[in-house]
Structures are given as C-alpha cells and as structure tokens.
Amino acid sequence: MGEIFLEQAIQIEMKKITVAPPIMLEGQMRRAIVKDVSITIHQGEWITLLGRNGSGKSTVAKVAAGYRVAGAAGQVIRNIQTAAKGRPLPIVMQQPEAGMIGATPWEDVVLMLEQNELPGDEIPLKAELALRSVGMGERLHQSIETLSGGQKQLVAIAGCIAMSSPLLVLDEVTAMLDPEASSSVMEQVRGLHKSGVTVIWITQKLEELQEADRIIAMDEGAIVFDGQAETWFARTAPLQKDSICERLCFEAPYAAQVAWELQEQGVQLSPFPFTAELLAKAVKQYGR
C-alpha cells in the first residue's frame, strides 16, 4: 500500500482498502476479511466503529493506525505524527496487561517510550504527566498487579498520550470491565477528546454513544453505515422496526427503546433521544 502525507485537517484517508490474508493451507479459499473500505478521518472527530466479532473493524483500525497487515491492498493517505516518528499509532486493546512490560504504571510508560526511542531526558516527565492526565497520578509507583482492569486501561491510554498521539484507537476497551470501571475509562477518553484528540472507539455497546458521535458500522468486512446517530436509529414509520440499528440486530439503548415506543403511540421526539440525558431533554421540550 502507498502512503502519502498531506497538510490538511484530514488526518487519515483510507481508499478502497481490501484485506485478504494469504492462504495458509492447501485447498483453502482466499477470502477477504475487509472489502473495499474507504474512510476519511478528520482531526477532532469521535468515531464509534461498530461491528460484531469478525466484521473486520479491528483489522480496519490496524490499517488506519499504520500497522502492516498481511494481504492488505489499497491506499492510505496519512497526515499524522507521534513522538515516535514513522511508527504506527499505538492501539489500546481489551486486555492491556498482555502488552505491559513495567512493574508500575510509571515504569511501564517509561519503558514504552524508551522502546520507541524518544529522547531520554524527556521520558520521565512525559510519563508522569501522561499518567496524571488520566487520573493515575496517585498510583505512579503502585504495582501493576494490584491495579483494577479499568486502571490498567488508563495506564495503556497514558502510554498513547505520552507518545504525543493526536489520535487514539481503542479496541473494545470496556468489553471486560464492570460498569463503574467502564464509566471511568469512558470519562477519561471523552475528556481527551474534548481537548482535541481524535478518537476511534471500537465497540459493540450502543449505550456508549453520545450526541455528535460519528458512527461507522461494519458487517462481513464492508461498511454498511457511516453517519450520525439520529440516522442510525431512524425508522421509516413509527410501527416499522426497520432502523439500521435493528436491521443489523444491535440492542438499542434503553432511552432509544423508550423513544420508539413513544413513536408508536404518536409521540414524536426530535432530535431522536438515545441517551437518558437526551430523552429527559426531549420529553421536557415536547409540545412547547
């Protein structure tokens, strides 16, 4: 794949990306796991990348982040730099401890920066500031083994921040966390987004959506939706359960289900509420 660097508000542009891994066994058919995917990512966006297991969303994220993916074809135009120039963007995974190499949060971030060949005199302070920015300032030297799952995710996110990454890729980081830990991680990442960081948030949980998020949904390796949440939940008629959300068999948040039921009773709320906050606001303003 070719890479071109532009000086524009577009950070990453993926053009007709297809990924068909090489055949490993004799007689095996070569099958594309990503099919003709084109995505443009702008600075400051929050992109919620939705898809079931095997839909290709994680593979697309790896290509966007600059990793070498076997069997990938197409073009990636990138205008994004980290402190480790020329290296892929770090990706925060479901189980961050698998990639942790330090005994403490501070040591883990320091070793990550050393591996990426950042200037040695900058590393200690960068590590500390990054950990403090995600609320881990009081646990700099606590044993990694004693941290909760959510705290380990925050350490992994701090590593990305220390690398001066203007774009964060988080792959189902709340999938194995309890609600309290999930909320804590989400709060920290939303805060980083408000500061200007672009976020690609990979998930299967629609309750993590917020107003103004851009949704990109994948199914069987292809993009089947790219737009705003209001369109994602939109039905053609009150009694028609034919929104894209329903057609792809995603479980809608409770607020969206309430709004659909109200539609069926003749109560049309606009804009469509899919969070508790939006639902409360829409009900309060209804009929004014």
Side-chain angles (χ1 to χ4, degrees):
M1 295 189 301
E3 288 200 3
I4 305 172
F5 292 86
L6 302 176
E7 294 184 354
Q8 296 178 356
I10 294 174
Q11 289 181 313
I12 300 174
E13 190 171 6
M14 305 170 69
K15 295 184 175 182
K16 296 186 177 298
I17 301 298
T18 295
V19 179
I23 298 170
M24 303 301 293
L25 300 174
E26 186 176 350
Q28 186 180 35
M29 295 290 291
R30 193 177 187 194
R31 183 179 67 87
I33 58 175
V34 172
K35 306 168 186 176
D36 200 26
V37 165
S38 296
I39 300 174
T40 300
I41 300 169
H42 295 84
Q43 183 178 355
E45 280 193 297
W46 180 290
I47 296 174
T48 297
L49 185 54
L50 295 171
R52 301 297 184 193
N53 293 335
S55 63
K57 60 187 187 300
S58 295
T59 301
V60 165
K62 287 179 181 178
V63 173
Y67 288 85
R68 292 184 179 180
V69 177
Q75 186 181 34
V76 180
I77 302 171
R78 309 182 77 231
N79 179 37
I80 196 164
Q81 295 287 348
T82 68
K85 295 180 180 179
R87 300 206 179 198
L89 299 171
I91 298 178
V92 183
M93 309 295 286
Q94 281 186 35
Q95 298 175 311
E97 62 270 16
M100 288 183 168
I101 51 179
T104 67
W106 181 83
E107 183 178 309
D108 187 74
V109 177
V110 164
L111 289 173
M112 177 185 178
L113 297 179
E114 288 178 347
Q115 284 185 336
N116 284 278
E117 301 178 356
L118 269 70
D121 58 339
E122 298 178 8
I123 288 176
L125 182 58
K126 273 185 175 287
E128 180 175 344
L129 291 177
L131 286 161
R132 291 189 182 282
S133 74
V134 297
M136 292 294 290
E138 296 182 359
R139 302 180 186 275
L140 294 175
H141 304 294
Q142 184 173 325
S143 171
I144 287 285
E145 295 178 355
T146 65
L147 299 180
S148 68
Q151 289 166 344
K152 290 175 183 176
Q153 292 290 19
L154 293 176
V155 173
I157 293 167
C160 300
I161 295 169
M163 294 273 290
S164 303
S165 178
L167 188 153
L168 295 179
V169 182
L170 303 106
D171 193 352
E172 299 201 57
V173 296
T174 62
M176 303 181 70
L177 302 181
D178 60 43
E180 183 178 354
S182 295
S183 178
S184 176
V185 171
M186 174 65 83
E187 181 181 355
Q188 294 293 338
V189 179
R190 288 286 180 182
L192 293 169
H193 175 245
K194 287 179 181 178
S195 73
V197 175
T198 308
V199 174
I200 300 177
W201 181 270
I202 304 172
T203 188
Q204 297 186 48
K205 299 179 179 180
L206 297 191
E207 62 268 24
E208 294 175 343
L209 288 173
Q210 287 192 11
E211 192 175 11
D213 289 358
R214 174 185 173 190
I215 299 174
I216 298 178
M218 296 190 65
D219 187 45
E220 296 185 353
I223 293 177
V224 293
F225 179 83
D226 185 350
Q228 299 302 310
E230 190 167 1
T231 306
W232 169 262
F233 291 108
R235 289 175 170 178
T236 57
L239 296 176
Q240 295 295 320
K241 298 183 179 182
D242 60 354
S243 68
I244 298 171
C245 173
E246 292 164 296
R247 280 186 276 149
L248 292 177
C249 300
F250 278 90
E251 183 177 355
Y254 178 72
Q257 294 181 39
V258 170
W260 279 332
E261 293 213 6
L262 289 172
Q263 281 183 357
E264 293 172 10
Q265 296 172 30
V267 178
Q268 186 75 34
L269 299 178
S270 182
F272 185 88
F274 55 91
T275 69
E277 294 78 10
L278 289 174
L279 180 60
K281 182 179 178 181
V283 170
K284 186 176 181 179
Q285 293 179 341
Y286 180 73
R288 285 187 178 183

